[in-house]
Amino acid sequence: MPDPRELPIYEIQAALLDGVRATGRVVVQAPTGSGKSTQVPQMLLRAGLLERGQCVVLQPRRIAARMLAKRVAQEQGVRLGDEVGYQVRLDSRVSAKTRIRFVTEGILLRQMTFDAHLRGVSALVFDEFHERHLDGDIGLARALQIQQTTRPDLIVIVMSATLDAGLLQKYLAPCTVVRSEGRMFPVTTEYETHPVNPDRDDIWDVAARACARVVARQPPGDVLVFMPGAYEINRTVNALQFQRELKDCLVFSLHGEMAPEEQDRAVDRYERRKIIVATNVAETSLTIDGVTAVVDSGLARVARFDPHRGINTLLVERISAASADQRAGRAGRTAPGVCLRLWTEREHTQRAPQELPEVKRLDLAEVVLTLKAAGIDDVANFPWIEPPDPKALARAEELLRDLGAVAWRRIPNFKGPNAKSEAEAGGPTSITEIGRRMLKFPVHPRYARMFLAAEEYGCVRTVAMMAALTQGRTFWLRNVDRGVEQAREDLLGTETESDFFLLMRAYRYAEKANFSVDACRRLGIHAQAARQVAPLFDQFLEIAQDEGLDIAERRVDGVLVRKCVLLGFIDHLARRLDEATLRCELVHKRRGLLARESALHGAKLLVVAEISEIGGRAGEVNTVLGLATAVEEAWLKELFPEDCDESITTGLDPNTKRVTARRERRFRDLVLESKEGAEPPETEAAQILARLVLAGDLKIEAWDERVEEWIVRVARFAKWFPEMEAHPIRDEDRATLIDQMCYGCRGVKDVRNLDPWPILKDWLTPEQLAALETLLPERIEMANGRRSKIGYPKEGPPVISARIQELFGVEKLSLARGRVPLKIEVLAPNQRPLQVTDDLARFWREVYPEIKPALSRRYPRHEWR
């Protein structure tokens, strides 16, 4: 083993240790391969800075934590698990002797939750911080809070090759920043001349051809190929086998789902040239010696959370320019190298400069619960390095409330007349006792809630098995033929209650077959995944037992198990839309397809434990619902009575033009059942039809000009005769009257044939109605016995129009015994206006003598006085 002290990181050892002693906070910028991940913890140990406790090194991936611990243990000459160890979820090699402990970020966060003083820890080293994992962000923020309060002696070091030192320097101030230039060998970067067309060329075939070119022209050295996931890795490994230029090469896979011994074989040194096809676990921290060429697909599977739909997504996306540089750097670790990027140079300029931090794109439920347990109720104002999307934060709190993990606190002294809790006062939630118990289970809050329900229902062992079955890789092999499906059905039987139950039977089959690959393949079972279930099951049982849960084996009622699943995944409640397809509608206005491999194709109401968005060609995204469990509507009423509702909704049928009613049962916003044919409530039917009338889309035929004139006459009556205490018909009153008219109607035809006058005249009392007809009549009798119509404008006096002969002998016209004057429009015999006046006496005296000669000549047959 070469001397580690020759690594470039030792160039900054003095500055790093000085910074630790001066400020207790250090930012280390050092390139890939400089030795920072393995050597910085040993520097602290040798400098005597770990006298009070361990150096805890945080790694973003389990494989890196395990392999780095193994490497440091070798360099220290100790057995792994003694002075140097690692601890990841559901796996650890530590002891009372351990001085350097490599952990994944979630492990530290839980330790902070249950021990805010971090007893036994002297230093925290956040490695590869540029990846900005959610647990790392929270862990660093909590570390600073602890350092500023109870542990001023705590050392905090943040390291990466490509981190934003400016952002961290401001966040950590006061702190020391040290940089190592490293001693990287030159790496030649080459690009494709034309973009890869996914409809024509599969990325694994393109990568295999690139590997063949590299091996044919490059000096001896290993090749590292980056692919987004295990599926693409397997396809690439197969494609490499068809390249004649690579027949002398060893080919290995490397990803986090592999067994530890398989991972070790991939990074070991061999006499022959090897090709390692890896996910981004090989991008940072983990240095693979001997690599001189990198073939980069430029892709990675990126987890995201959609706060609008509450769905975690895992889509293949293009990596950032910073990640591409990290990958390229793997080729220049020990000698000059080359990096073949399977995209064009022009495409490279369009890539994002950095990855989006996880706090901006992941489910926040578990970390929010962790913060609540630490006494941080107002998570929105937590000192985030970069604050999360408020909608994502709200969604996490909503899920935790659904699970009973947090609750609104009562405000005894709140002054509002109706507010009884912080929910109504706009305050934060606090963790409940159930939430605290849930947090002790190293699983997602959903499964933690299921464990607590399982204690009540007496099925802890079953829920432990369900959790173990879902922690690792996909259990079923995909795309199996019909023969495998038939064999699976023959041996495991059919299933109508839960996909979990079928998984458990499959596991027992694999266990009895001693996890034989051939036996498992016959039923389409992933043997390695099945083999990993047993230790996980044992650990979950141990955790449950430590929390006081009864883990005794007993006969289990499937109904109670399914209720546990319902409690854990209530926001994933789904209803089949029809029996002919797998389409489902979920709460929160989502839709998806029940997975083809699910056994629950006959269930009408179910909860699903997995909701995945799978990216396809041409940007297509399919929402697939997996691990389904059938549930009963009665259970919703039993467990969530306040969220169940039954109502009748009405609407106008566009075909029949009649108001119809639909009776609906809902759980939150999910319609469980909808039936037509119920008699629509008369009030709602009237409102629907009235809205059409008011909008002008439906006309009451008898609502003519005379009706509108009467409404104006009522308004003038109310103004001129206030002692009658009548009220004008305003716009809002008109809507009320039309609504009353439509009461009892069921369709458009009914409304068109309405007689509006009975309702209109009810607006006035009999006394007011009689006074209206007397004081402000519709017509007035003229001298010749003719009844002339009176016009009532909205403003000004009433108006009548009369031929001049009808006015002979009339000196004055008025209404209400002279109280309301009339304006007279005097007409010639041809009905054309001669004069408009409100003083007839003056008209006869001054105007008539002047116009009479001309009128009498023009109309000699008419009487002229």
Side-chain angles (χ1 to χ4, degrees), residues 166-348:
L167 173 67
L168 274 175
Q169 189 171 5
K170 181 179 179 181
Y171 184 72
L172 295 173
C175 69
T176 303
V177 179
V178 294
R179 295 178 176 85
S180 170
E181 298 302 325
R183 292 193 293 272
M184 290 289 296
F185 289 89
V187 176
T188 302
T189 302
E190 300 179 8
Y191 294 90
E192 292 288 305
T193 55
H194 297 91
V196 174
N197 185 344
D199 293 327
R200 186 180 64 246
D201 295 313
D202 291 318
I203 193 66
W204 41 83
D205 291 328
V206 178
R209 293 194 292 269
C211 287
R213 295 199 304 271
V214 168
V215 170
R217 74 185 192 199
Q218 282 290 107
D222 296 335
V223 182
L224 178 58
V225 183
F226 284 101
M227 283 288 157
Y231 173 75
E232 291 83 3
I233 287 175
N234 293 335
R235 295 300 298 266
T236 305
V237 169
N238 292 335
L240 291 170
Q241 295 172 353
F242 290 97
Q243 298 292 326
R244 287 176 295 180
E245 300 88 343
L246 307 177
K247 66 180 185 304
D248 294 328
C249 296
L250 298 172
V251 179
F252 294 95
S253 301
L254 182 61
H255 54 80
E257 295 181 359
M258 295 169 55
E261 57 272 16
E262 293 176 333
Q263 296 171 352
D264 291 340
R265 282 197 294 271
V267 300
D268 283 344
R269 298 298 299 267
Y270 298 90
E271 295 295 329
R272 293 163 59 187
R273 188 177 223 166
K274 69 178 178 181
I275 301 174
I276 308 104
V277 189
T279 59
N280 55 5
V281 298
E283 183 178 311
T284 57
S285 294
L286 191 62
T287 296
I288 304 174
D289 294 330
V291 172
T292 59
V294 166
V295 175
D296 188 2
S297 69
L299 304 172
R301 290 197 181 276
V302 179
R304 296 186 185 277
F305 178 73
D306 185 340
H308 302 286
R309 293 171 290 166
I311 299 177
N312 272 319
T313 66
L314 189 62
L315 304 180
V316 175
E317 298 182 2
R318 298 188 305 173
I319 61 172
S320 67
S323 291
D325 291 341
Q326 286 270 13
R327 292 180 175 187
R330 293 302 176 183
R333 173 70 179 84
T334 56
V338 63
C339 174
L340 273 65
R341 289 175 172 168
L342 305 184
W343 63 93
T344 65
E345 191 167 8
R346 181 178 180 181
E347 288 175 315
H348 186 73

Side-chain angles (χ1 to χ4, degrees), residues 485-699:
E485 291 180 349
Q486 187 61 53
R488 185 184 295 172
E489 185 174 325
D490 292 341
L491 285 172
L492 302 181
T494 58
E495 179 56 53
T496 60
E497 294 187 338
S498 177
D499 287 332
F500 278 112
F501 296 167
L502 194 61
L503 271 181
M504 286 187 275
R505 292 203 293 271
Y507 170 72
R508 296 189 191 101
Y509 165 84
E511 186 180 37
K512 289 180 180 178
N514 199 26
F515 305 106
S516 163
V517 173
D518 291 337
C520 289
R521 189 178 293 121
R522 281 197 292 273
L523 296 193
I525 297 171
H526 199 300
Q528 181 63 28
R531 185 180 292 110
Q532 294 172 355
V533 169
L536 292 171
F537 177 51
D538 292 339
Q539 290 183 41
F540 279 125
L541 286 179
E542 183 178 349
I543 292 169
Q545 188 173 36
D546 289 344
E547 292 307 310
L549 275 60
D550 182 3
I551 63 170
E553 192 162 358
R554 55 169 56 88
R555 185 179 179 84
V556 174
D557 185 344
V559 167
L560 298 179
V561 175
R562 288 189 284 153
K563 286 183 179 180
C564 291
V565 180
L566 177 61
L567 283 164
F569 291 88
I570 185 58
D571 63 324
H572 286 181
L573 182 69
R575 179 181 68 89
R576 289 281 299 280
L577 291 176
D578 51 66
E579 296 182 0
T581 71
L582 299 178
R583 297 182 306 129
C584 297
E585 189 174 49
L586 297 90
V587 291
H588 303 312
K589 299 297 183 182
R590 295 169 290 170
R591 289 201 172 189
L593 291 174
L594 184 61
R596 188 185 67 83
E597 60 268 23
S598 173
L600 275 293
H601 289 181
K604 294 182 179 180
L605 191 64
L606 41 85
V607 286
V608 292
E610 293 178 354
I611 299 183
S612 305
E613 282 194 345
I614 300 177
R617 295 182 185 273
E620 179 186 2
V621 176
N622 297 312
T623 301
V624 180
L625 315 178
L627 269 183
T629 298
V631 298
E632 301 293 336
E633 185 177 340
W635 303 350
L636 299 175
K637 296 178 180 178
E638 173 192 342
L639 300 173
F640 306 95
E642 295 181 356
D643 293 320
C644 297
D645 178 57
E646 186 169 336
S647 62
I648 295 178
T649 59
T650 55
L652 186 71
D653 188 313
N655 297 316
T656 65
K657 303 297 184 182
R658 294 188 64 80
V659 177
T660 60
R662 180 183 295 271
R663 187 179 297 275
E664 290 184 342
R665 293 201 308 277
R666 291 175 174 265
F667 177 79
R668 298 179 184 169
D669 60 356
L670 177 64
V671 176
L672 301 176
E673 186 179 47
S674 179
K675 287 184 177 180
E676 291 186 4
E679 187 71 16
E682 291 185 325
T683 299
E684 293 184 22
Q687 290 172 348
I688 291 172
L689 294 168
R691 283 195 293 267
L692 291 175
V693 174
L694 291 168
D697 298 326
L698 176 59
K699 179 174 176 56

